[in-house]
Amino acid sequence: MTERVAVIGVGQTHHKAKRDDVSIAGLVREAALRALDDAGLGWADIDAVVIGKAPDMFEGVMMPELYLAPALGAVGKPIFRVHTAGSVGGSTALVAAHLVTSGVHHRVLTVAFEKQSDSDAMWALSVLQPFSAPLLAGAGGYFAPHIRAYMHRSGAPRDIGMKVAVKDRLHALRNPYAHLHLADISLKMVEESIMLWDPLHYLESCPSSDGAAAMVLGSEKAAADAQAATGRRPAWVHGMAMRSEPTMFAGRDQINPRAGRECAADVYRQAGVTNPRQDFDCAEVYVPFSWYEPMWLENLGFCDQGDGWKLTEEGATFIDGGDIPWNCSGGVLSSNPIGASGMLRFLEVALQVRGEAGDHQVDGVRRALGQAYGGGSQFFAMWVLGTDRP
Amino acid sequence: MPTTPTPRLGHRPVAVVSFAQADNLRRESHRNEVETLMPVFAEAFGRVGVTKNDIDFICSGSTDYLVGGPFSFVSALDAIGVWPPRSESHVEMDAAWALYEAVVALQDDDVDAALVYGFGKSSLGQLDKIMALQLDPYVLAPLWPDPVSLAALQARALLDSGKATEDDFAAVAARSRKAALDNPKAQVAYDRSVADLLAEDYVVSPLRKHTLPPITDGAAAVVLAVGDQAWEWAERAGVRPAWITGIDHRVETHSLGARDLTTSPSTRKAAGVAGVADGGVDVAELHAPFAPQELILAEALGLAALGRNGNGVDVNPSGGPLAANPLMAGGLIRIGEAAARIMNGTADRAVAHATSGPALQQNLVAVLEGAS
């Protein structure tokens, strides 16, 4: 027997290129306080804190949870630090959720952040390690060949990625927390932006952001109390899973990774989802480079293999008129505080399920998927949230 | 079959059924982290006759700052070969906390066995510089305080409080290094008198060399299993399961000036939640890298009152971190060493402790029991 768990509080910062008005502690507190306010709770109500972020070299602080413990109200409590590469924001939420489902705690604060302007992520990603394949030119340089392989395999037209880039930036215009607000975004503007890693133009890449995300996860009792106090309904966790596979070996499909397929199958089984495109009302999926939308549409089973780009092309993932809107918040393409980017996916589906997403709310969301991935497309974290208590 | 003890955390009883560690070396110059871990996994799995395919969840602890590059845990995964894909997680903490995450994950009905591991290769960099980066980046780290100096502040506070003397520090070191003579994995072991140790010069007053941990390259792994699975696997290895009946961790504030460095309230609180005082204790494995810290921890855990059968608690029979101190694995090794004593029947109830951060900022306490 395991306990139920729900999202009962949500908070995030306004994501920006530089938040030089706050320290790292100030940044995470901003998101955490908003989540506590949203749940109608104070620091004293929290049993434990679970914090996640991407590599410590992104800020130059080793194990920053030690320094952040008092800022997050954790003194005298457990504080736990997760690091699973780009998927970390999602994994962090899952570790926090397990502290509730296991019956250990009633209310857990989970926080993820990145303050990219404090250091240089491109440098931190490019440090050459002995006997390892160099990740030259950062993440985009690593993923571009996989994208070209996807285009070759699927026969997708060259403009699909640019369409994703436009769509997610149009979504971001409805999200006041998004980093990029490009009012005049167009296909032409994307196409005319500089080519970074063929076929990825500058505007097909995620930005570098400072930002933090926080959620309060609660047990059934905590959820009932929060709803009574705030009038806001909980978003129930219907399924959650993590999967990892090795970075490289002969025969690994880096374009459609098995770990992603199996992670999805696991959460769908838990949530009773048999047809993702029909059963979900929206999804927030980790798309740091435009072409990962069609690739993950296939990996997550929203369509047959080779058809992901067709959904993008026909507008199925657009909030206006699409039957399965993806990344209505603007996604990673519009805000990328790396360590928090995965948690933002998980948090945004909570907003959708609670009907609290404001201008980027999809009508009548009953069930939604949050996904995060990291490393060389090898670490996956997912959860399914719903309005109904499971 | 004896009765499985009821755990304080969760509802599914979890036991350590296998523990293995690499040789603890000042400088492992022939093997990288993956090559260090592979034989450790082979030993941990081999003892209970399982393979990676019998494991439902994997969790590790390490830090990028020892390697000097991002994602050091990613390549370490190659030591397992996570194929087909596995449910796997990582903490940027000592692997004792990875074990905590695994114990929580094992409360899920679909998860019956877990592999936990940690590794740290300190010889790759300069620890005195690296560890300073763990401090408040705005007001402390720019001063580059090294870990020995911070431990010296704590030791000085302890002396000033009248709770301990330099003789007491030396007695901890003498006892630990002597016990380490029986530990084939120990890096530093000797039989020297307290008077002999006190003849050493100060490294940073009041700490002399014997009060400091060695700098170590090492790694460790633990196999955990739930309920009947634990009984079955332990039986294959010819040992008893070491049931984790209680486990908790707590943190203190970061600012050294805001703490009473002579006490460890986080350890005391974790010990209360873990149920340390629910019974007598045969063995305690304490993650006290600096000798004076053992005295602080023993007091916080209340060990003086917890001896059994007329004996005092046997503290760090492995030699503890003064015998070998691989960062990010050292706390897990304390749990492994305590479990080993339960598994081989030389202890019935043991306490294991892990620490993180400057001057014992964060502490984890576990209680392990053999079913009688």
Side-chain angles (χ1 to χ4, degrees), chain A residues 1 24 60 62 66-67 76-77 79-81 83 124 129 244 246, chain B residues 11 65 70 85-86 88 90-92 109 133 138 250-251 361-362:
Chain A
M1 186 202 79
I24 297 171
M62 178 187 184
L66 293 164
Y67 139 72
K77 297 175 184 176
I79 187 167
F80 200 88
R81 161 72 194 288
H83 175 23
Q129 294 184 46
S244 308
Chain B
H11 53 280
Y65 266 86
R86 311 312 295 247
E88 184 268 338
H90 171 261
V91 298
E92 197 84 355
D109 292 338
L133 296 172
Y138 304 102
R250 302 281 154 165
V251 73
Q361 187 194 344
Q362 185 178 28

PDB file of all heavy atoms in Angstrom, chain A residues 1 24 60 62 66-67 76-77 79-81 83 124 129 244 246, chain B residues 11 65 70 85-86 88 90-92 109 133 138 250-251 361-362:
ATOM      1  N   MET A   1       0.844  -1.195   0.000  1.00  0.00           N
ATOM      2  CA  MET A   1       0.000   0.000   0.000  1.00  0.00           C
ATOM      3  C   MET A   1       0.877   1.242   0.000  1.00  0.00           C
ATOM      4  O   MET A   1       1.800   1.344   0.780  1.00  0.00           O
ATOM      5  CB  MET A   1      -0.877   0.003   1.254  1.00  0.00           C
ATOM      6  CG  MET A   1      -1.898   1.111   1.283  1.00  0.00           C
ATOM      7  SD  MET A   1      -2.442   1.454   2.980  1.00  0.00           S
ATOM      8  CE  MET A   1      -1.089   2.425   3.613  1.00  0.00           C
ATOM      9  N   ILE A  24      21.891  33.471  -5.119  1.00  0.00           N
ATOM     10  CA  ILE A  24      21.290  32.166  -5.402  1.00  0.00           C
ATOM     11  C   ILE A  24      20.205  31.878  -4.363  1.00  0.00           C
ATOM     12  O   ILE A  24      19.110  31.413  -4.689  1.00  0.00           O
ATOM     13  CB  ILE A  24      22.367  31.058  -5.387  1.00  0.00           C
ATOM     14  CG1 ILE A  24      23.383  31.300  -6.504  1.00  0.00           C
ATOM     15  CG2 ILE A  24      21.737  29.684  -5.549  1.00  0.00           C
ATOM     16  CD1 ILE A  24      24.606  30.397  -6.439  1.00  0.00           C
ATOM     17  N   GLY A  60      29.475  27.286 -10.012  1.00  0.00           N
ATOM     18  CA  GLY A  60      30.756  27.286  -9.328  1.00  0.00           C
ATOM     19  C   GLY A  60      30.624  27.086  -7.830  1.00  0.00           C
ATOM     20  O   GLY A  60      31.507  27.480  -7.076  1.00  0.00           O
ATOM     21  N   MET A  62      29.995  24.094  -5.036  1.00  0.00           N
ATOM     22  CA  MET A  62      29.940  22.645  -4.836  1.00  0.00           C
ATOM     23  C   MET A  62      28.860  22.316  -3.806  1.00  0.00           C
ATOM     24  O   MET A  62      28.874  22.854  -2.705  1.00  0.00           O
ATOM     25  CB  MET A  62      31.306  22.178  -4.328  1.00  0.00           C
ATOM     26  CG  MET A  62      31.410  20.707  -4.019  1.00  0.00           C
ATOM     27  SD  MET A  62      33.034  20.395  -3.243  1.00  0.00           S
ATOM     28  CE  MET A  62      32.983  18.610  -3.082  1.00  0.00           C
ATOM     29  N   LEU A  66      24.025  22.876   0.891  1.00  0.00           N
ATOM     30  CA  LEU A  66      24.542  23.109   2.243  1.00  0.00           C
ATOM     31  C   LEU A  66      24.419  24.587   2.609  1.00  0.00           C
ATOM     32  O   LEU A  66      23.980  24.949   3.697  1.00  0.00           O
ATOM     33  CB  LEU A  66      26.004  22.650   2.325  1.00  0.00           C
ATOM     34  CG  LEU A  66      26.206  21.141   2.177  1.00  0.00           C
ATOM     35  CD1 LEU A  66      27.663  20.816   1.877  1.00  0.00           C
ATOM     36  CD2 LEU A  66      25.749  20.414   3.440  1.00  0.00           C
ATOM     37  N   TYR A  67      24.790  25.429   1.661  1.00  0.00           N
ATOM     38  CA  TYR A  67      24.681  26.868   1.867  1.00  0.00           C
ATOM     39  C   TYR A  67      23.230  27.329   1.829  1.00  0.00           C
ATOM     40  O   TYR A  67      22.832  28.273   2.517  1.00  0.00           O
ATOM     41  CB  TYR A  67      25.560  27.580   0.825  1.00  0.00           C
ATOM     42  CG  TYR A  67      24.985  28.813   0.184  1.00  0.00           C
ATOM     43  CD1 TYR A  67      24.852  30.002   0.909  1.00  0.00           C
ATOM     44  CD2 TYR A  67      24.583  28.803  -1.147  1.00  0.00           C
ATOM     45  CE1 TYR A  67      24.317  31.139   0.303  1.00  0.00           C
ATOM     46  CE2 TYR A  67      24.056  29.918  -1.749  1.00  0.00           C
ATOM     47  CZ  TYR A  67      23.920  31.086  -1.020  1.00  0.00           C
ATOM     48  OH  TYR A  67      23.388  32.198  -1.606  1.00  0.00           O
ATOM     49  N   GLY A  76      17.232  21.977  10.826  1.00  0.00           N
ATOM     50  CA  GLY A  76      16.546  21.035  11.714  1.00  0.00           C
ATOM     51  C   GLY A  76      15.707  20.015  10.976  1.00  0.00           C
ATOM     52  O   GLY A  76      15.085  19.150  11.584  1.00  0.00           O
ATOM     53  N   LYS A  77      15.694  20.128   9.648  1.00  0.00           N
ATOM     54  CA  LYS A  77      14.892  19.209   8.827  1.00  0.00           C
ATOM     55  C   LYS A  77      15.805  18.446   7.869  1.00  0.00           C
ATOM     56  O   LYS A  77      16.974  18.778   7.717  1.00  0.00           O
ATOM     57  CB  LYS A  77      13.870  19.999   8.003  1.00  0.00           C
ATOM     58  CG  LYS A  77      12.851  20.742   8.847  1.00  0.00           C
ATOM     59  CD  LYS A  77      11.944  21.588   7.986  1.00  0.00           C
ATOM     60  CE  LYS A  77      11.016  22.382   8.902  1.00  0.00           C
ATOM     61  NZ  LYS A  77      10.162  23.305   8.148  1.00  0.00           N
ATOM     62  N   ILE A  79      17.231  17.857   4.278  1.00  0.00           N
ATOM     63  CA  ILE A  79      17.334  18.466   2.941  1.00  0.00           C
ATOM     64  C   ILE A  79      18.101  17.485   2.075  1.00  0.00           C
ATOM     65  O   ILE A  79      19.082  16.886   2.505  1.00  0.00           O
ATOM     66  CB  ILE A  79      17.986  19.865   2.952  1.00  0.00           C
ATOM     67  CG1 ILE A  79      17.905  20.494   1.549  1.00  0.00           C
ATOM     68  CG2 ILE A  79      19.424  19.822   3.455  1.00  0.00           C
ATOM     69  CD1 ILE A  79      18.245  21.990   1.517  1.00  0.00           C
ATOM     70  N   PHE A  80      17.618  17.326   0.870  1.00  0.00           N
ATOM     71  CA  PHE A  80      18.112  16.253   0.010  1.00  0.00           C
ATOM     72  C   PHE A  80      18.425  16.835  -1.351  1.00  0.00           C
ATOM     73  O   PHE A  80      17.662  17.631  -1.883  1.00  0.00           O
ATOM     74  CB  PHE A  80      16.994  15.198  -0.101  1.00  0.00           C
ATOM     75  CG  PHE A  80      17.482  13.858  -0.523  1.00  0.00           C
ATOM     76  CD1 PHE A  80      17.912  12.943   0.419  1.00  0.00           C
ATOM     77  CD2 PHE A  80      17.516  13.509  -1.857  1.00  0.00           C
ATOM     78  CE1 PHE A  80      18.374  11.700   0.031  1.00  0.00           C
ATOM     79  CE2 PHE A  80      17.984  12.276  -2.256  1.00  0.00           C
ATOM     80  CZ  PHE A  80      18.403  11.358  -1.307  1.00  0.00           C
ATOM     81  N   ARG A  81      19.545  16.466  -1.930  1.00  0.00           N
ATOM     82  CA  ARG A  81      19.993  17.067  -3.189  1.00  0.00           C
ATOM     83  C   ARG A  81      20.095  16.029  -4.304  1.00  0.00           C
ATOM     84  O   ARG A  81      20.852  15.069  -4.186  1.00  0.00           O
ATOM     85  CB  ARG A  81      21.361  17.735  -2.988  1.00  0.00           C
ATOM     86  CG  ARG A  81      22.128  17.979  -4.269  1.00  0.00           C
ATOM     87  CD  ARG A  81      21.524  19.111  -5.118  1.00  0.00           C
ATOM     88  NE  ARG A  81      22.086  19.100  -6.465  1.00  0.00           N
ATOM     89  CZ  ARG A  81      23.319  19.451  -6.779  1.00  0.00           C
ATOM     90  NH1 ARG A  81      24.141  19.855  -5.833  1.00  0.00           N
ATOM     91  NH2 ARG A  81      23.734  19.403  -8.028  1.00  0.00           N
ATOM     92  N   HIS A  83      20.779  15.131  -8.415  1.00  0.00           N
ATOM     93  CA  HIS A  83      21.424  15.581  -9.653  1.00  0.00           C
ATOM     94  C   HIS A  83      21.408  14.447 -10.673  1.00  0.00           C
ATOM     95  O   HIS A  83      22.117  13.468 -10.524  1.00  0.00           O
ATOM     96  CB  HIS A  83      22.860  16.027  -9.371  1.00  0.00           C
ATOM     97  CG  HIS A  83      23.642  16.398 -10.607  1.00  0.00           C
ATOM     98  ND1 HIS A  83      23.035  16.790 -11.779  1.00  0.00           N
ATOM     99  CD2 HIS A  83      24.969  16.423 -10.851  1.00  0.00           C
ATOM    100  CE1 HIS A  83      23.972  17.043 -12.690  1.00  0.00           C
ATOM    101  NE2 HIS A  83      25.144  16.824 -12.160  1.00  0.00           N
ATOM    102  N   ALA A 124      31.280  24.970 -18.693  1.00  0.00           N
ATOM    103  CA  ALA A 124      31.165  23.851 -17.763  1.00  0.00           C
ATOM    104  C   ALA A 124      30.858  22.549 -18.495  1.00  0.00           C
ATOM    105  O   ALA A 124      31.291  21.475 -18.086  1.00  0.00           O
ATOM    106  CB  ALA A 124      30.089  24.145 -16.718  1.00  0.00           C
ATOM    107  N   GLN A 129      37.113  15.555 -20.291  1.00  0.00           N
ATOM    108  CA  GLN A 129      37.467  14.545 -19.293  1.00  0.00           C
ATOM    109  C   GLN A 129      38.253  13.438 -19.958  1.00  0.00           C
ATOM    110  O   GLN A 129      37.951  13.041 -21.073  1.00  0.00           O
ATOM    111  CB  GLN A 129      36.208  13.974 -18.644  1.00  0.00           C
ATOM    112  CG  GLN A 129      35.470  15.018 -17.811  1.00  0.00           C
ATOM    113  CD  GLN A 129      34.285  14.430 -17.092  1.00  0.00           C
ATOM    114  OE1 GLN A 129      34.381  13.376 -16.496  1.00  0.00           O
ATOM    115  NE2 GLN A 129      33.165  15.119 -17.154  1.00  0.00           N
ATOM    116  N   SER A 244      16.971   5.236 -17.015  1.00  0.00           N
ATOM    117  CA  SER A 244      18.294   5.639 -17.500  1.00  0.00           C
ATOM    118  C   SER A 244      18.838   4.576 -18.430  1.00  0.00           C
ATOM    119  O   SER A 244      18.558   3.383 -18.255  1.00  0.00           O
ATOM    120  CB  SER A 244      19.267   5.791 -16.324  1.00  0.00           C
ATOM    121  OG  SER A 244      18.741   6.629 -15.327  1.00  0.00           O
ATOM    122  N   PRO A 246      22.721   3.817 -20.946  1.00  0.00           N
ATOM    123  CA  PRO A 246      24.099   4.311 -21.112  1.00  0.00           C
ATOM    124  C   PRO A 246      24.199   5.385 -22.198  1.00  0.00           C
ATOM    125  O   PRO A 246      23.358   5.460 -23.086  1.00  0.00           O
ATOM    126  CB  PRO A 246      24.875   3.062 -21.544  1.00  0.00           C
ATOM    127  CG  PRO A 246      24.006   1.906 -21.192  1.00  0.00           C
ATOM    128  CD  PRO A 246      22.592   2.404 -21.282  1.00  0.00           C
TER     129      PRO A 246
ATOM    130  N   HIS B  11       6.676   1.088   5.561  1.00  0.00           N
ATOM    131  CA  HIS B  11       5.964  -0.110   5.995  1.00  0.00           C
ATOM    132  C   HIS B  11       6.598  -1.382   5.462  1.00  0.00           C
ATOM    133  O   HIS B  11       6.224  -2.465   5.846  1.00  0.00           O
ATOM    134  CB  HIS B  11       4.512  -0.023   5.533  1.00  0.00           C
ATOM    135  CG  HIS B  11       4.396   0.241   4.060  1.00  0.00           C
ATOM    136  ND1 HIS B  11       4.543   1.507   3.516  1.00  0.00           N
ATOM    137  CD2 HIS B  11       4.202  -0.590   3.027  1.00  0.00           C
ATOM    138  CE1 HIS B  11       4.422   1.427   2.207  1.00  0.00           C
ATOM    139  NE2 HIS B  11       4.235   0.183   1.883  1.00  0.00           N
ATOM    140  N   TYR B  65      32.883  17.862  -8.475  1.00  0.00           N
ATOM    141  CA  TYR B  65      34.051  18.670  -8.154  1.00  0.00           C
ATOM    142  C   TYR B  65      35.302  17.852  -7.884  1.00  0.00           C
ATOM    143  O   TYR B  65      36.409  18.381  -7.956  1.00  0.00           O
ATOM    144  CB  TYR B  65      33.737  19.642  -7.000  1.00  0.00           C
ATOM    145  CG  TYR B  65      33.309  20.985  -7.552  1.00  0.00           C
ATOM    146  CD1 TYR B  65      31.995  21.219  -7.895  1.00  0.00           C
ATOM    147  CD2 TYR B  65      34.243  21.973  -7.816  1.00  0.00           C
ATOM    148  CE1 TYR B  65      31.605  22.431  -8.449  1.00  0.00           C
ATOM    149  CE2 TYR B  65      33.879  23.178  -8.369  1.00  0.00           C
ATOM    150  CZ  TYR B  65      32.558  23.413  -8.681  1.00  0.00           C
ATOM    151  OH  TYR B  65      32.187  24.604  -9.241  1.00  0.00           O
ATOM    152  N   PRO B  70      31.701  18.081 -15.496  1.00  0.00           N
ATOM    153  CA  PRO B  70      30.282  17.860 -15.210  1.00  0.00           C
ATOM    154  C   PRO B  70      29.876  16.406 -15.421  1.00  0.00           C
ATOM    155  O   PRO B  70      30.535  15.679 -16.154  1.00  0.00           O
ATOM    156  CB  PRO B  70      29.587  18.758 -16.236  1.00  0.00           C
ATOM    157  CG  PRO B  70      30.526  18.776 -17.392  1.00  0.00           C
ATOM    158  CD  PRO B  70      31.913  18.690 -16.812  1.00  0.00           C
ATOM    159  N   PRO B  85      17.224  -0.401 -20.068  1.00  0.00           N
ATOM    160  CA  PRO B  85      17.169   0.784 -19.204  1.00  0.00           C
ATOM    161  C   PRO B  85      16.625   0.459 -17.820  1.00  0.00           C
ATOM    162  O   PRO B  85      15.768  -0.409 -17.666  1.00  0.00           O
ATOM    163  CB  PRO B  85      16.201   1.709 -19.962  1.00  0.00           C
ATOM    164  CG  PRO B  85      16.314   1.286 -21.383  1.00  0.00           C
ATOM    165  CD  PRO B  85      16.518  -0.199 -21.354  1.00  0.00           C
ATOM    166  N   ARG B  86      17.158   1.173 -16.820  1.00  0.00           N
ATOM    167  CA  ARG B  86      16.768   0.914 -15.435  1.00  0.00           C
ATOM    168  C   ARG B  86      16.252   2.176 -14.774  1.00  0.00           C
ATOM    169  O   ARG B  86      16.592   3.289 -15.179  1.00  0.00           O
ATOM    170  CB  ARG B  86      17.974   0.408 -14.619  1.00  0.00           C
ATOM    171  CG  ARG B  86      18.759  -0.703 -15.238  1.00  0.00           C
ATOM    172  CD  ARG B  86      17.878  -1.806 -15.735  1.00  0.00           C
ATOM    173  NE  ARG B  86      17.163  -2.471 -14.659  1.00  0.00           N
ATOM    174  CZ  ARG B  86      17.379  -3.731 -14.298  1.00  0.00           C
ATOM    175  NH1 ARG B  86      18.271  -4.450 -14.926  1.00  0.00           N
ATOM    176  NH2 ARG B  86      16.681  -4.259 -13.324  1.00  0.00           N
ATOM    177  N   GLU B  88      16.756   4.665 -12.157  1.00  0.00           N
ATOM    178  CA  GLU B  88      18.063   5.015 -11.605  1.00  0.00           C
ATOM    179  C   GLU B  88      18.055   6.477 -11.200  1.00  0.00           C
ATOM    180  O   GLU B  88      17.395   7.307 -11.832  1.00  0.00           O
ATOM    181  CB  GLU B  88      19.126   4.753 -12.681  1.00  0.00           C
ATOM    182  CG  GLU B  88      20.547   4.977 -12.275  1.00  0.00           C
ATOM    183  CD  GLU B  88      21.068   6.380 -12.572  1.00  0.00           C
ATOM    184  OE1 GLU B  88      20.509   7.066 -13.445  1.00  0.00           O
ATOM    185  OE2 GLU B  88      22.042   6.773 -11.907  1.00  0.00           O
ATOM    186  N   HIS B  90      20.471   9.740  -8.826  1.00  0.00           N
ATOM    187  CA  HIS B  90      21.796  10.126  -8.323  1.00  0.00           C
ATOM    188  C   HIS B  90      21.659  11.314  -7.390  1.00  0.00           C
ATOM    189  O   HIS B  90      20.865  12.228  -7.655  1.00  0.00           O
ATOM    190  CB  HIS B  90      22.711  10.487  -9.494  1.00  0.00           C
ATOM    191  CG  HIS B  90      24.014  11.107  -9.071  1.00  0.00           C
ATOM    192  ND1 HIS B  90      24.216  12.469  -9.094  1.00  0.00           N
ATOM    193  CD2 HIS B  90      25.150  10.561  -8.594  1.00  0.00           C
ATOM    194  CE1 HIS B  90      25.445  12.724  -8.662  1.00  0.00           C
ATOM    195  NE2 HIS B  90      26.029  11.593  -8.346  1.00  0.00           N
ATOM    196  N   VAL B  91      22.417  11.292  -6.314  1.00  0.00           N
ATOM    197  CA  VAL B  91      22.458  12.443  -5.417  1.00  0.00           C
ATOM    198  C   VAL B  91      23.858  13.030  -5.436  1.00  0.00           C
ATOM    199  O   VAL B  91      24.845  12.300  -5.509  1.00  0.00           O
ATOM    200  CB  VAL B  91      22.056  12.067  -3.968  1.00  0.00           C
ATOM    201  CG1 VAL B  91      20.627  11.549  -3.942  1.00  0.00           C
ATOM    202  CG2 VAL B  91      23.000  11.053  -3.356  1.00  0.00           C
ATOM    203  N   GLU B  92      23.923  14.355  -5.406  1.00  0.00           N
ATOM    204  CA  GLU B  92      25.227  15.025  -5.315  1.00  0.00           C
ATOM    205  C   GLU B  92      25.547  15.141  -3.821  1.00  0.00           C
ATOM    206  O   GLU B  92      25.676  16.235  -3.262  1.00  0.00           O
ATOM    207  CB  GLU B  92      25.157  16.401  -5.993  1.00  0.00           C
ATOM    208  CG  GLU B  92      26.512  17.001  -6.328  1.00  0.00           C
ATOM    209  CD  GLU B  92      27.089  16.517  -7.649  1.00  0.00           C
ATOM    210  OE1 GLU B  92      26.495  15.638  -8.290  1.00  0.00           O
ATOM    211  OE2 GLU B  92      28.164  17.011  -8.038  1.00  0.00           O
ATOM    212  N   ASP B 109       5.668  -0.899  -3.909  1.00  0.00           N
ATOM    213  CA  ASP B 109       5.449  -2.345  -4.019  1.00  0.00           C
ATOM    214  C   ASP B 109       6.141  -2.974  -5.221  1.00  0.00           C
ATOM    215  O   ASP B 109       6.343  -4.181  -5.257  1.00  0.00           O
ATOM    216  CB  ASP B 109       3.942  -2.638  -4.081  1.00  0.00           C
ATOM    217  CG  ASP B 109       3.263  -2.319  -2.759  1.00  0.00           C
ATOM    218  OD1 ASP B 109       3.958  -2.290  -1.729  1.00  0.00           O
ATOM    219  OD2 ASP B 109       2.039  -2.084  -2.762  1.00  0.00           O
ATOM    220  N   LEU B 133      34.992  25.420  -2.006  1.00  0.00           N
ATOM    221  CA  LEU B 133      33.911  25.791  -2.920  1.00  0.00           C
ATOM    222  C   LEU B 133      32.557  25.281  -2.445  1.00  0.00           C
ATOM    223  O   LEU B 133      31.532  25.561  -3.051  1.00  0.00           O
ATOM    224  CB  LEU B 133      34.218  25.266  -4.325  1.00  0.00           C
ATOM    225  CG  LEU B 133      35.454  25.894  -4.958  1.00  0.00           C
ATOM    226  CD1 LEU B 133      35.813  25.195  -6.254  1.00  0.00           C
ATOM    227  CD2 LEU B 133      35.227  27.382  -5.212  1.00  0.00           C
ATOM    228  N   TYR B 138      29.296  33.724  -1.409  1.00  0.00           N
ATOM    229  CA  TYR B 138      29.421  35.185  -1.358  1.00  0.00           C
ATOM    230  C   TYR B 138      30.316  35.651  -0.212  1.00  0.00           C
ATOM    231  O   TYR B 138      31.082  36.587  -0.372  1.00  0.00           O
ATOM    232  CB  TYR B 138      28.035  35.826  -1.247  1.00  0.00           C
ATOM    233  CG  TYR B 138      27.111  35.397  -2.364  1.00  0.00           C
ATOM    234  CD1 TYR B 138      26.135  34.427  -2.145  1.00  0.00           C
ATOM    235  CD2 TYR B 138      27.237  35.931  -3.644  1.00  0.00           C
ATOM    236  CE1 TYR B 138      25.294  34.012  -3.182  1.00  0.00           C
ATOM    237  CE2 TYR B 138      26.404  35.512  -4.680  1.00  0.00           C
ATOM    238  CZ  TYR B 138      25.441  34.555  -4.438  1.00  0.00           C
ATOM    239  OH  TYR B 138      24.628  34.143  -5.458  1.00  0.00           O
ATOM    240  N   ARG B 250      19.291  15.119   9.046  1.00  0.00           N
ATOM    241  CA  ARG B 250      18.932  16.502   9.372  1.00  0.00           C
ATOM    242  C   ARG B 250      20.096  17.421   9.022  1.00  0.00           C
ATOM    243  O   ARG B 250      21.254  16.990   9.012  1.00  0.00           O
ATOM    244  CB  ARG B 250      18.633  16.634  10.868  1.00  0.00           C
ATOM    245  CG  ARG B 250      17.516  15.725  11.356  1.00  0.00           C
ATOM    246  CD  ARG B 250      16.148  16.283  11.012  1.00  0.00           C
ATOM    247  NE  ARG B 250      15.161  15.205  10.919  1.00  0.00           N
ATOM    248  CZ  ARG B 250      13.845  15.401  10.921  1.00  0.00           C
ATOM    249  NH1 ARG B 250      13.361  16.618  11.015  1.00  0.00           N
ATOM    250  NH2 ARG B 250      13.025  14.386  10.798  1.00  0.00           N
ATOM    251  N   VAL B 251      19.777  18.691   8.816  1.00  0.00           N
ATOM    252  CA  VAL B 251      20.819  19.646   8.483  1.00  0.00           C
ATOM    253  C   VAL B 251      20.776  20.803   9.480  1.00  0.00           C
ATOM    254  O   VAL B 251      19.729  21.080  10.075  1.00  0.00           O
ATOM    255  CB  VAL B 251      20.660  20.155   7.020  1.00  0.00           C
ATOM    256  CG1 VAL B 251      19.481  21.113   6.893  1.00  0.00           C
ATOM    257  CG2 VAL B 251      21.942  20.812   6.512  1.00  0.00           C
ATOM    258  N   GLN B 361      27.912  19.733   9.400  1.00  0.00           N
ATOM    259  CA  GLN B 361      26.689  20.519   9.188  1.00  0.00           C
ATOM    260  C   GLN B 361      25.460  19.633   8.996  1.00  0.00           C
ATOM    261  O   GLN B 361      24.369  19.949   9.453  1.00  0.00           O
ATOM    262  CB  GLN B 361      26.839  21.446   7.979  1.00  0.00           C
ATOM    263  CG  GLN B 361      25.638  22.396   7.836  1.00  0.00           C
ATOM    264  CD  GLN B 361      25.572  23.082   6.485  1.00  0.00           C
ATOM    265  OE1 GLN B 361      26.535  23.109   5.721  1.00  0.00           O
ATOM    266  NE2 GLN B 361      24.416  23.645   6.171  1.00  0.00           N
ATOM    267  N   GLN B 362      25.635  18.543   8.254  1.00  0.00           N
ATOM    268  CA  GLN B 362      24.497  17.690   7.903  1.00  0.00           C
ATOM    269  C   GLN B 362      24.806  16.263   8.330  1.00  0.00           C
ATOM    270  O   GLN B 362      25.920  15.773   8.089  1.00  0.00           O
ATOM    271  CB  GLN B 362      24.269  17.759   6.392  1.00  0.00           C
ATOM    272  CG  GLN B 362      23.037  17.019   5.920  1.00  0.00           C
ATOM    273  CD  GLN B 362      22.821  17.166   4.427  1.00  0.00           C
ATOM    274  OE1 GLN B 362      23.774  17.349   3.684  1.00  0.00           O
ATOM    275  NE2 GLN B 362      21.586  17.071   3.984  1.00  0.00           N
TER     276      GLN B 362
END
